[in-house]
Amino acid sequence: MKALAVRFALVVSCGLTASVLGAAPAAAQFWQCAPYARQISGIEIRGNADTWWSQAAGRYERGHTPVAGSVLAFQATSRMRVGHVAMVSKVVGDREVLLTHANWSRRGGIERDVRAVDVSAAGDWSLVKVWYGPQGGLGTSNYPTSGFIYSGQTPVAAPALQYAGTGPSIGRGPIGVVAFTGKD
């Protein structure tokens, strides 16, 4: 009878493992920043990130003050040829926000609630530093931005799985390889 119970437990645990592992490929989607920002912010703009600011004109309110659920539109640079977009998940202060975005620290990866700081001389969010996973802190580069695109709606909760980086949660930039996250 004991052997039967052990076999049953083994079959059940293998079945659970297979169902969890079987779901991993679907969850391990490769994300670009624009489709991910569109999905979680509700801002229905398509195309490269560097076109979002101009496309938003007349369709969405735009400005230079961060608001939770808005999308920060990064300009194209020599290192970021098609720009970048990231949703503001929380406003921490006048010059600090937490961003949720994809394809930043690791190709195709998702990062939730990572720190971004306004480093512009005018305090208008035209130049920012952003958490960079491999460094475990704010990156060394400054990135020009166009401003914030306001969705006018509550943002969608970001997925609970993260794929950006290879280390444990550090500071304000929680990252991990296929790590389940809870509230930070």
Side-chain angles (χ1 to χ4, degrees), residues 76-81:
T77 66
S78 61
R79 292 177 56 199
M80 246 180 1
R81 290 176 294 185

Side-chain angles (χ1 to χ4, degrees), residues 64 66 94-97 116 118 120 123-128 145 148:
H64 300 283
D94 290 344
R95 297 189 79 162
E96 182 178 347
V97 296
D118 173 18
S120 65
D124 62 0
W125 287 91
S126 60
L127 197 64
V128 298
T145 68
F148 297 92

Side-chain angles (χ1 to χ4, degrees), residues 21-93:
L21 292 177
Q29 179 173 354
F30 182 94
W31 282 101
Q32 294 291 336
C33 66
Y36 185 70
R38 182 174 50 253
Q39 179 181 349
I40 63 173
S41 71
I43 294 176
E44 287 297 321
I45 295 178
R46 300 194 179 277
N48 289 339
D50 63 339
T51 68
W52 277 44
W53 184 254
S54 62
Q55 286 190 64
R59 294 175 60 193
Y60 294 94
E61 293 292 321
R62 303 181 306 170
H64 300 283
T65 304
V67 173
S70 64
V71 170
L72 181 58
F74 291 68
Q75 296 175 10
T77 66
S78 61
R79 292 177 56 199
M80 246 180 1
R81 290 176 294 185
V82 293
H84 185 71
V85 284
M87 188 191 74
V88 175
S89 42
K90 181 179 181 180
V91 177
V92 177

Side-chain angles (χ1 to χ4, degrees), residues 20-31 108-110 159-163 178 180:
V20 169
L21 292 177
Q29 179 173 354
F30 182 94
W31 282 101
I110 293 170
L161 292 174
Q162 293 178 286
Y163 307 99
V178 189
F180 291 94

Side-chain angles (χ1 to χ4, degrees), residues 138-154:
L138 286 177
T140 56
S141 298
N142 295 330
Y143 296 95
T145 68
S146 297
F148 297 92
I149 303 169
Y150 307 114
S151 68
Q153 60 187 12
T154 305

